[in-house]
Amino acid sequence: MPKWLQSGRRRDMCVLLAAAEDGELSGQRLKTRLERRYDTRIEPKSFYGALDALESAGFVAHREDGIADKYSLTEAGKRRLRAQFEWMREALGEES
């Protein structure tokens, strides 16, 4: 399994990006949604480290939009997330 999938935080960040209404989220909005999901505060250094790792691996792209950085899944990120989803579906005995 690729290392990026071994991190639940990274997986969840990709899920939230995939679910974004317009296909992208600002870093702060992504962090806020993840904190709500976990019901805890995430240290910015830890959060942005995970986001940078996803970007370095080619699974997340970012662009500057004024003072905010916007993040979205790349095609490679979408494929890996879909593969993870299919694996989970199979493991749970769910039909496709």
Side-chain angles (χ1 to χ4, degrees):
M1 173 189 309
K3 276 193 166 187
W4 80 277
L5 290 177
Q6 294 175 3
S7 164
R9 178 174 292 168
R10 291 180 193 172
R11 278 192 307 266
D12 293 347
M13 291 166 80
C14 289
V15 168
L16 290 171
L17 287 171
E21 301 80 31
D22 59 357
E24 65 181 5
L25 291 170
S26 69
Q28 186 56 51
R29 182 161 289 177
L30 177 59
K31 184 175 179 291
T32 298
R33 289 183 183 186
L34 193 62
E35 288 173 334
R36 285 184 187 149
R37 174 70 182 145
Y38 293 164
D39 193 27
T40 192
R41 182 178 180 282
I42 300 170
E43 290 295 326
K45 183 176 179 179
S46 176
F47 172 80
Y48 285 103
L51 198 51
D52 289 345
L54 287 169
E55 186 177 1
S56 293
F59 301 120
V60 169
H62 97 273
R63 67 178 183 86
E64 292 182 18
D65 184 23
I67 61 170
D69 285 337
K70 299 277 184 116
Y71 295 88
S72 60
L73 284 180
T74 62
E75 287 304 315
K78 291 174 185 176
R79 284 192 304 272
R80 290 289 176 95
L81 187 59
R82 175 64 55 194
Q84 178 73 18
F85 177 74
E86 292 302 326
W87 174 78
M88 292 172 73
R89 185 194 321 254
E90 289 173 17
L92 295 172
E94 300 287 326
E95 296 293 322
S96 337

